């Protein structure tokens, strides 16, 4: 299985996305700074504490990378079916289900890693800047950091699970655009912020959608066994 | 000599249409089996069923003596194939594609990649990604990939599609070498009869989803006859001359102006006699019944000549 995952990364040149990922992070920092500065000029600061700033980072990172993951779904899964290279894959001495499982794991890991690492890096950066120019309130203690790390781990896992949902839409007609659109809608739905409340802050809603994401992937893996590839 | 492939009453239904009907196919080890049929006859569908890309509606398939089931995949290790047209990862180069093939097949001889590229004459393509390849190049790469692991059983769906005459000859030689020197069993489909005629040991003719005939080339060759065709002004009069003066009985009157003689006759004698009896001769040629005639006869349901 590990070998299959490795081959997927090699085949689709997934490391070439590193540059775009870094650029995305830079844009998020810029957006954050912009939000602060413009809200300062109207005397209605968007965020004053570290906690609030962190919340906004979570929203931005997840929004961006959930859509990014939709693109990875297209590259790794949908395109293989559309371009019929999956025909070649299914003629190898490998279980069809294992092949698709490896792809789903690549997609899930991509979401998980990009989201969690970006959040850690950006928040770390913010803490660094804040220690030099203390703009935001909040005490940086060990339990504070621990709590935040746990938060990141949990919420990234949930976001990664939800990022799998566009698989369902993409696999219906092997449509690239449908995958993207569903990714964008899903991302907006989950991460849009009104008064500090996002859909993802509700634990039950997150759990339900993560289960949907996992369920959709499981069905795809099971169904592929008996599909005629014409 | 074992049976590499055997299908029994193989049927495939697509949306209510029976595209493959009761096909009973037998491919012996080490032979080149030519799969002949018009477009849409079901050749590709049968080949997809042999590689488990498509599951049969009913019927059995045995490959290497083992029944092929929905979950079977180990047997694919011993097979190589091109089905329809070869597909690749377009953004990668030839070597990268073939390297992936080796990894997935669990084949670790990297020298084999160089060897098969040389065999199909695909050199000087190091940094070109497959998306920039011509049809002929893709076809060659497809064949290179199929033969890369020297599989025991090779399935080739119209492999000379898109190749120029030189390429066709090269491929023909490669297939012959693979069969005779490496003992590889080859299933090759085509509708270019002249090609199949030259390399196949056994021919399976398929039309409308039915396997009409499975026959060895030796038998067809024995059946084929050479004949002489006469073009004259009046075939009935000429026939009389043949019967009475020349005592030739093995002939067929095709139409008013044409007669075919299936015996060995001296042409000079024949023409002299006919002229003497006032039959004007417009032409005289030698022919050989070929696979094409046999095939066309089969396809047209025996609407043969008078």
């Amino acid at each position: 299985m590990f070998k299959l995952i490795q081959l997927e990364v090699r085949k689709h040149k997934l490391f070439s996305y590193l540059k775009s990922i870094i650029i995305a992070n830079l844009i998020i920092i810029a957006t954050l700074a912009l939000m602060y500065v413009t809200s300062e000029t109207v005397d209605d600061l968007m965020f004053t504490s570290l906690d609030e700033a962190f919340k906004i980072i979570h929203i931005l990172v997840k929004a961006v990378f959930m859509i990014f993951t939709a693109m990875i779904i297209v590259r790794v899964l949908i395109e293989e079916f559309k371009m019929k290279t999956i025909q070649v894959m299914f003629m190898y001495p490998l279980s069809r289900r294992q092949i698709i499982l490896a792809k789903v794991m690549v997609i899930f890991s991509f979401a998980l890693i990009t989201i969690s690492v970006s959040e850690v890096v950006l928040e770390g950066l913010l803490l660094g800047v804040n220690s030099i120019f203390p703009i935001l309130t909040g005490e940086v203690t060990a339990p504070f950091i621990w709590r935040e790390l746990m938060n990141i781990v949990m919420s990234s896992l949930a976001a990664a699970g939800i990022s799998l949902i566009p698989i369902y839409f993409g696999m219906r007609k092997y449509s690239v655009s449908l995958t993207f659109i569903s990714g964008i809608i899903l991302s907006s739905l989950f991460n849009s912020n009104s008064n500090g409340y996002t859909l993802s802050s509700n634990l039950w809603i997150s759990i339900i959608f993560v289960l949907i994401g996992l369920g959709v992937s499981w069905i795809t893996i099971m169904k592929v066994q008996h599909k005629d590839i014409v | 000599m074992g049976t590499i492939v055997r299908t029994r009453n193989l049927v495939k239904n697509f949306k209510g249409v029976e595209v493959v009907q009761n096909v009973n196919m037998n491919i012996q080890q080490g032979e080149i089996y030519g799969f002949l049929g018009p477009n849409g006859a079901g050749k590709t569908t049968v080949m997809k069923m042999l590689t488990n890309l498509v599951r049969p509606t009913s019927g059995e398939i045995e490959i290497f003596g083992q029944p092929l089931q929905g979950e079977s995949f180990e047997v694919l290790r011993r097979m190589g194939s091109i089905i329809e047209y070869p597909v690749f990862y377009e953004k990668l180069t030839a070597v990268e594609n073939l390297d992936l093939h080796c990894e997935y097949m669990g084949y670790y001889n990297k020298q084999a990649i160089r060897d098969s590229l040389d065999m199909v004459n695909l050199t000087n393509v190091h940094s070109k990604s497959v998306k920039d390849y011509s049809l002929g190049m893709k076809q060659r790469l497809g064949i290179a990939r199929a033969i890369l692991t020297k599989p025991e059983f090779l399935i080739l769906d119209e492999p000379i599609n898109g190749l120029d005459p030189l390429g066709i000859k090269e491929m023909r030689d490669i297939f012959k070498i693979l069969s005779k020197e490496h003992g590889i069993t080859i299933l090759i489909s085509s509708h270019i009869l002249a090609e199949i005629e030259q390399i196949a040991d056994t021919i399976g003719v398929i039309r409308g989803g039915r396997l009409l005939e499975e026959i060895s080339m030796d038998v067809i060759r024995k059946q084929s006859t050479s004949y002489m065709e006469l073009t004259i002004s009046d075939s009935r009069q000429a026939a009389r001359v043949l019967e009475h003066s020349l005592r030739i009985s093995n002939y067929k009157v095709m139409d008013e102006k044409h007669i075919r003689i299936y015996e060995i006759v001296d042409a000079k004698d024949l023409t002299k006699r006919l002229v003497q009896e006032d039959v004007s001769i417009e032409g005289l040629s030698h022919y050989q019944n070929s696979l094409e005639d046999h095939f066309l006869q089969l396809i047209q349901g025996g609407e043969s000549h008078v």
Side-chain angles (χ1 to χ4, degrees):
Chain A
M1 177 55 65
F2 181 63
K3 173 116 173 288
L4 281 181
I5 294 179
Q6 231 182 353
L7 287 172
E8 289 291 323
V9 173
R10 212 171 94 185
K11 213 179 4 174
H12 302 287
K13 304 205 165 163
L14 292 184
F15 279 112
S16 65
Y17 285 113
L18 219 56
K19 200 158 85 155
S20 325
I21 294 174
I22 294 179
I23 294 180
N25 274 308
L26 291 175
I27 296 181
I28 294 176
I29 297 177
T31 311
L32 203 67
L34 209 65
M35 280 179 173
Y36 188 82
V37 168
T38 52
S39 63
E40 197 178 32
T41 59
V42 295
D43 268 338
D44 181 16
L45 285 171
M46 197 150 223
F47 48 91
T48 50
S49 69
L50 281 175
D51 274 335
E52 284 173 2
F54 283 1
K55 220 178 272 186
I56 296 190
I57 288 180
H58 276 240
I59 291 173
L60 291 175
V61 165
K62 290 188 176 68
V64 164
F65 289 107
M66 268 170 106
I67 298 177
F68 218 125
T69 304
M71 179 169 76
I72 298 297
I73 291 178
V74 167
R75 279 300 288 276
V76 166
L77 191 59
I78 313 298
E79 247 173 28
E80 288 242 35
F81 279 88
K82 204 173 154 133
M83 297 296 147
K84 304 251 183 159
T85 51
I86 200 73
Q87 204 180 73
V88 176
M89 287 300 295
F90 285 169
M91 290 200 280
Y92 286 135
L94 300 162
S95 149
R96 281 194 191 185
R97 291 195 174 141
Q98 292 234 311
I99 292 173
I100 304 295
L101 178 61
K103 287 174 184 290
V104 169
M105 287 181 74
V106 166
I107 296 167
F108 182 85
S109 312
F110 181 87
L112 184 63
I113 295 174
T114 49
I115 292 176
S116 51
V117 171
S118 300
E119 283 178 358
V120 166
V121 165
L122 290 178
E123 289 184 4
L125 222 66
L126 193 64
L127 288 179
V129 166
N130 203 43
S131 61
I132 307 180
F133 306 107
I135 310 177
L136 304 170
T137 63
E139 243 194 270
V140 184
T141 60
F144 174 80
I145 295 183
W146 181 248
R147 199 172 17 99
E148 184 53 27
L149 278 175
M150 282 294 102
N151 196 1
I152 290 179
V153 167
M154 290 286 109
S155 65
S156 320
L157 280 171
I162 298 174
S163 306
L164 295 175
I165 296 182
I167 289 178
Y168 171 75
F169 295 98
M171 285 297 280
R172 296 199 76 221
K173 294 223 171 92
Y174 309 142
S175 159
V176 171
S177 35
L178 203 54
T179 317
F180 265 116
I181 292 174
S182 62
I184 293 174
I185 293 180
L186 226 58
S187 180
S188 323
L189 203 65
F190 272 99
N191 299 308
S192 49
N193 178 26
S194 58
N195 265 341
Y197 180 76
T198 67
L199 217 57
S200 48
S201 355
N202 183 322
L203 187 64
W204 287 115
I205 293 185
S206 295
I207 291 181
I208 291 176
F209 276 84
V210 166
L211 288 177
I212 295 180
L214 294 175
V216 153
S217 310
W218 189 78
I219 291 177
T220 307
I221 292 172
M222 289 291 127
K223 265 174 74 170
V224 96
Q225 190 66 49
H226 300 290
K227 229 181 229 236
D228 282 341
I229 310 293
V230 278
Chain B
M1 285 284 254
T3 305
I4 292 276
V5 173
R6 179 155 54 179
T7 74
R8 267 200 282 268
N9 297 325
L10 197 59
V11 175
K12 181 63 189 172
N13 260 331
F14 272 131
K15 300 190 179 148
V17 179
E18 253 189 18
V19 292
V20 173
Q21 300 175 41
N22 278 323
V23 165
N24 293 304
M25 204 168 149
N26 300 282
I27 304 179
Q28 304 302 321
Q29 187 184 2
E31 75 173 351
I32 299 184
Y33 187 107
F35 209 11
L36 223 47
N39 285 326
K43 306 191 289 291
T44 302
T45 309
V46 169
M47 287 173 158
K48 283 188 174 173
M49 288 198 271
L50 292 180
T51 48
N52 238 355
L53 282 176
V54 165
R55 294 295 305 147
T57 306
S58 69
E60 288 132 37
I61 301 177
E62 254 177 42
I63 303 191
F64 298 118
Q66 303 295 326
L68 190 71
Q69 279 148 359
E71 302 79 44
S72 312
F73 55 78
E74 264 309 312
V75 67
L76 294 172
R77 199 179 294 276
R78 301 160 78 181
M79 294 163 59
S81 59
I82 301 184
I83 309 257
E84 281 176 325
Y85 46 86
V87 250
F88 303 99
Y89 292 103
E90 302 269 310
K91 301 202 177 114
L92 305 180
T93 66
V95 174
E96 285 172 336
N97 268 288
L98 294 182
D99 207 22
L100 276 173
H101 182 80
C102 281
E103 296 273 3
Y104 280 118
M105 280 296 235
Y107 189 74
Y108 299 108
N109 180 1
K110 295 302 175 173
Q111 179 58 30
I113 296 180
R114 288 275 139 237
D115 293 341
S116 30
L117 283 175
D118 283 340
M119 220 183 185
V120 301
N121 237 330
L122 202 58
T123 45
N124 287 333
V125 284
H126 293 121
S127 46
K128 230 186 192 185
S129 36
V130 175
K131 68 174 171 353
D132 296 327
Y133 278 23
S134 66
L135 177 59
M137 289 166 85
K138 282 191 185 166
Q139 204 69 28
R140 284 170 198 266
L141 188 57
I143 293 172
R145 182 173 61 190
I147 67 179
L148 188 55
T149 58
K150 292 284 180 311
E152 291 169 58
F153 180 35
L154 205 53
I155 299 182
L156 300 171
D157 193 4
E158 319 235 1
I160 56 181
N161 199 9
L163 293 177
D164 55 37
L166 184 60
I168 293 178
K169 173 162 192 335
E170 283 169 8
M171 288 309 145
R172 200 191 316 145
D173 293 338
I174 293 176
F175 301 149
K176 281 205 184 123
I177 291 176
L178 290 173
S179 174
K180 305 305 170 216
E181 280 178 36
H182 298 261
I184 295 178
T185 309
I186 304 181
L187 169 63
I188 179 167
S189 80
S190 185
H191 34 229
I192 300 179
L193 309 172
E195 277 312 302
I196 297 263
E197 202 171 10
Q198 293 196 46
I199 57 174
D201 300 312
T202 299
I203 306 243
V205 183
I206 185 169
R207 178 171 90 121
R210 289 190 176 282
L211 193 65
L212 299 178
E213 186 180 49
E214 198 174 74
I215 189 171
S216 110
M217 270 309 281
D218 285 338
V219 173
I220 292 190
R221 285 195 191 106
K222 290 205 182 83
Q223 274 180 5
S224 88
T225 38
S226 54
Y227 59 88
M228 192 157 41
E229 183 156 308
L230 276 179
T231 312
I232 55 265
S233 50
D234 180 0
S235 58
R236 250 178 312 164
Q237 198 190 348
R240 256 180 274 130
V241 173
L242 290 179
E243 288 263 7
H244 298 132
S245 319
L246 295 162
R247 305 225 193 285
I248 294 172
S249 50
N250 198 357
Y251 68 91
K252 223 183 246 180
V253 174
M254 310 305 295
D255 56 40
E256 277 179 15
K257 292 197 174 297
H258 298 95
I259 290 186
R260 285 189 188 174
I261 303 174
Y262 294 96
E263 283 177 32
I264 305 199
V265 191
D266 179 30
K268 292 197 298 284
D269 222 19
L270 176 66
T271 44
K272 198 158 60 156
R273 233 6 125 75
L274 286 169
V275 167
Q276 274 173 359
E277 309 275 345
D278 249 344
V279 177
S280 53
I281 303 177
E282 280 169 50
L284 187 155
S285 340
H286 295 273
Y287 284 98
Q288 177 128 21
N289 242 333
S290 66
L291 185 63
E292 188 173 10
D293 294 315
H294 182 100
F295 179 57
L296 286 174
Q297 246 181 25
L298 205 57
I299 295 290
Q300 281 154 11
E303 291 158 26
S304 46
H305 318 283
V306 159

